[in-house]
Amino acid sequence: MKGLIGKKIGMTQVFNDEGNLVPVTVIDVNTCLVVGKRTPEKDQYSAVTVGFGEIREKLLNKPELGFFKKASATPRRHLREFRVTAEEAAAFNVGDAVKADMFTKGELVDVTGVTKGRGFSGVMRRWSFKGSQTKTHGTHEYQRHAGAIGQRKTPGRTYPNKKMPGHYGVERNTTQNLTVVDVDVEKGLVLVKGAVSGHNDGIVIVRPSIKVAMRAAHKAAR
């Protein structure tokens, strides 16, 4: 699975080839760089380590700085390892720039990001509870509450994963099968149709659609 690390710039609108207005998320992948490789002979698997975002050397600790110097690579703020075949890994060299043309117009991709943090939230916002539908029969000030959470004597406890108020957001989330509307290689931008999890300037990971790859593998197996 090849892929890129990028930064979510925000959303805008573009016209597609049919003249329809399409909402897109703009992802900046301009500073992606190959900073390491894994080989079956040494690591028992094949992968490429990609770095994104420039960073000053004095902001790195000694192990991090030693990793980049050993690989003779420019320091990068964010690192991500992508599994590839041995043949695909051979096409990459440490120090090579990975550009937006890795993806093509019309391709389906999966984009992973961290959702926006919304703090401590109640059950109606966090879990979309409907709330109390009546104010009669002794219901007072409980229209937005979760209701009873206890059990009887057996088991005498609250079940794990009970939907209750709590910290909402800041969760890793993957949006699958987003269409690449356009690719700007010069500016290092990838435009995907639809929304992507996370706030503007958040770090995201763009990979080819896993479902498309699985369908192709099943078709080949038949």
Side-chain angles (χ1 to χ4, degrees), residues 80-99:
R80 173 73 182 189
E81 199 171 84
F82 297 97
R83 292 289 187 100
V84 295
T85 63
E87 293 76 15
E88 291 174 333
F92 294 97
N93 296 316
V94 176
D96 289 349
V98 186
K99 299 183 179 180

Side-chain angles (χ1 to χ4, degrees), residues 119-137:
F120 190 96
S121 301
V123 292
M124 294 189 70
R125 188 183 188 203
R126 191 182 186 197
W127 303 111
S128 301
F129 280 19
K130 294 180 67 175
S132 175
Q133 301 301 301
T134 177
K135 295 184 180 180
T136 60
H137 301 288

Side-chain angles (χ1 to χ4, degrees), residues 65-152:
L65 190 59
F67 167 79
F68 289 109
K69 287 189 175 181
K70 183 178 180 180
S72 300
T74 307
R76 284 293 183 262
R77 185 177 297 271
H78 305 281
L79 298 179
R80 173 73 182 189
E81 199 171 84
F82 297 97
R83 292 289 187 100
V84 295
T85 63
E87 293 76 15
E88 291 174 333
F92 294 97
N93 296 316
V94 176
D96 289 349
V98 186
K99 299 183 179 180
D101 57 1
M102 176 178 289
F103 300 105
T104 58
K105 187 176 180 180
E107 184 178 356
L108 296 180
V109 295
D110 298 339
V111 184
T112 302
V114 178
T115 61
K116 293 180 180 179
R118 294 171 174 85
F120 190 96
S121 301
V123 292
M124 294 189 70
R125 188 183 188 203
R126 191 182 186 197
W127 303 111
S128 301
F129 280 19
K130 294 180 67 175
S132 175
Q133 301 301 301
T134 177
K135 295 184 180 180
T136 60
H137 301 288
T139 303
H140 297 285
E141 298 86 34
Y142 284 92
Q143 282 75 30
R144 298 179 61 87
H145 286 221
I149 64 169
Q151 307 294 325
R152 290 175 177 251

